[in-house]
Amino acid sequence: MTATLEQLRRCHFAVDLGAARTRVYVRGAGLVVDQPSAAAVNTRTGALIAVGEFAERMTGRTPDYIRVVRPVSGGTVVDIEMAQRMLRHLLGDKMRRALRRKPFLRAAVCTPHDADPLAQRAAIETLVGLGARRVELVDTLIAAAVGCGLPVEQPEASMIMVCGAAATEVAVLSLGAIVTAERIRVGGEAVDHAIVQHLRHQHELMLPSQNVRPLQLALSGNGLTAQGPTSTEIHGRDICTGLARSVQVDTAAVRDAIQTPLTAVLDSIGKVLRDCPPDLVADLADRGIMMVGGSALLPGFDEMLRQATSMPVHIAERPDVCAVQGLGTMLEGKIAAMKLDQGQNDEDQDQDRPGPG
């Protein structure tokens, strides 16, 4: 975590700019924005037509002169100007005026664990464009761990896995810092892509982007295990004829198709455990792994991790908003760093000792 707890307590609002969704927490008001990171733009005039949920629904359904863009990719702002315009519209005039009235507006933003200086600068510039005079950077892993209630400030191991849309981050935390971490560019989008390619090659069916998530939800319950449903019907467009067509998809074949991206996640967990000190690994044998992020809700994903690692695996109560809730917890001053009283105790003992003579 780049920023200290004292610096975060002075911040007025916090932003979690994700590849899938953007969330804003305002101190005293709570979570005020939770919308998809999407914006629809008129390419002829440059006007912003829609943002958030409405822009998301327009994906793949617009005429040529309207383009749906995503200013955030892989947890990094790739279009600063569009990200600023999107945030302004998501916040609304009333909230922006309330923030501008702050004499020295401070903001906090989540950044990926291995974000390079250019990516950090892009996040800072985005919030400076909203009027922030100072921007504090917080590691997404720390923020998510605080948001799901892990005792990150204690001298004990906590393992967290942030399952995002574009990347997955795995880390072991102790004493408010990251002991070892690994980030791979495999997330929910990689799983979606594997499903789309499977249907394209095996069934010659082109699946609309809006139908990928319902297919995953069709694998409900133990969807990624053999106890799940054997087949499900899916609608799409025939590649050869271009006509609408429905097929019965074998869920066992879908499970095999998404094994490649999920195996990469398992490899990252193994690497983190190998690099972790043995004493902390012993703590994790009882506590296990905490899963956060929107992709943690993929049906059967937690059970697959349990079988592969032989460790307890837990999903946070609201895994999709853990990072921004953790930022809010730190902004509100609800978490304090562990204080060492040994020096004070030694001083008291010195006062109690009788003087010479």
Side-chain angles (χ1 to χ4, degrees):
M1 182 168 57
T2 306
T4 65
L5 288 173
E6 186 59 35
Q7 290 171 328
L8 290 174
R9 289 192 191 101
R10 298 174 189 160
C11 293
H12 301 96
F13 72 103
V15 180
D16 178 18
L17 281 169
R21 298 185 77 86
T22 293
R23 299 176 176 94
V24 180
Y25 186 102
V26 176
R27 191 173 67 189
L31 186 63
V32 297
V33 172
D34 185 2
Q35 294 281 338
S37 303
V41 183
N42 187 326
T43 56
R44 296 175 181 173
T45 64
L48 196 62
I49 298 174
V51 295
E53 295 281 359
F54 190 30
E56 180 85 358
R57 292 199 301 269
M58 294 170 65
T59 303
R61 294 186 169 97
T62 61
D64 292 340
Y65 65 92
I66 296 178
R67 186 165 58 99
V68 178
V69 297
R70 295 184 176 274
V72 184
S73 176
T76 302
V77 179
V78 294
D79 189 339
I80 296 176
E81 181 184 358
M82 187 55 63
Q84 291 173 349
R85 295 175 68 185
M86 181 185 72
L87 280 171
R88 289 192 194 102
H89 281 76
L90 290 176
L91 282 171
D93 294 336
K94 183 177 179 181
M95 184 57 69
R96 282 191 291 123
R97 283 196 299 267
L99 291 174
R100 283 201 188 117
R101 284 196 286 267
K102 307 295 182 183
F104 192 86
L105 187 62
R106 293 173 178 259
V109 62
C110 283
T111 57
H113 173 63
D114 60 350
D116 55 43
L118 190 61
Q120 294 178 355
R121 190 65 189 171
I124 292 172
E125 290 293 333
T126 300
L127 297 192
V128 167
L130 293 179
R133 301 287 298 277
R134 182 179 176 88
V135 179
E136 307 292 353
L137 300 178
V138 182
D139 197 300
T140 302
L141 291 164
I142 298 289
V146 172
C148 64
L150 291 178
V152 293
E153 74 281 2
Q154 299 299 320
E156 53 192 36
S158 299
M159 190 169 190
I160 187 167
M161 184 168 73
V162 180
C163 309
T168 299
E169 299 177 71
V170 185
V172 175
L173 313 174
S174 180
L175 284 174
I178 297 173
V179 178
T180 178
E182 184 74 13
R183 182 172 185 264
I184 57 171
R185 295 190 176 276
V186 174
E189 292 176 354
V191 175
D192 294 349
H193 181 72
I195 294 175
V196 169
Q197 291 301 311
H198 168 74
L199 293 176
R200 187 183 184 93
H201 294 149
Q202 299 298 322
H203 300 278
E204 295 185 347
L205 193 73
M206 186 175 294
L207 193 65
S209 58
Q210 290 84 359
N211 283 11
V212 177
R213 195 63 61 181
L215 177 57
Q216 291 183 2
L217 295 178
L219 307 176
S220 58
N222 298 318
L224 296 183
T225 63
Q227 290 76 30
T230 57
S231 65
T232 184
E233 186 178 16
I234 197 71
H235 307 280
R237 188 181 73 183
D238 191 284
I239 293 178
C240 299
T241 65
L243 301 177
R245 183 162 64 93
S246 300
V247 296
Q248 284 290 332
V249 178
D250 183 12
T251 54
V254 174
R255 288 197 299 271
D256 293 339
I258 63 179
Q259 282 302 313
T260 300
L262 296 183
T263 301
V265 174
L266 293 175
D267 292 342
S268 67
I269 294 176
K271 186 177 186 305
V272 168
L273 291 175
R274 287 193 299 271
D275 296 341
C276 188
D279 291 343
L280 295 181
V281 175
D283 291 345
L284 297 175
D286 296 328
R287 293 200 181 90
I289 306 171
M290 177 65 75
M291 296 176 63
V292 302
S295 299
L297 298 173
L298 185 64
F301 191 16
D302 56 334
E303 182 60 32
M304 190 192 76
L305 290 180
R306 287 190 195 98
Q307 295 176 1
T309 63
S310 300
M311 294 172 60
V313 178
H314 315 282
I315 300 178
E317 185 176 352
R318 293 192 62 191
D320 51 337
V321 296
C322 280
V324 72
Q325 290 288 8
L327 285 176
T329 300
M330 291 183 278
L331 259 63
E332 303 283 3
K334 296 179 180 178
I335 183 172
M338 188 183 70
K339 295 182 180 179
L340 300 177
D341 297 330
Q342 185 63 36
Q344 182 65 35
N345 292 339
D346 292 342
E347 184 178 347
D348 293 342
Q349 291 173 5
D350 290 339
Q351 292 175 357
D352 293 338
R353 291 196 188 100

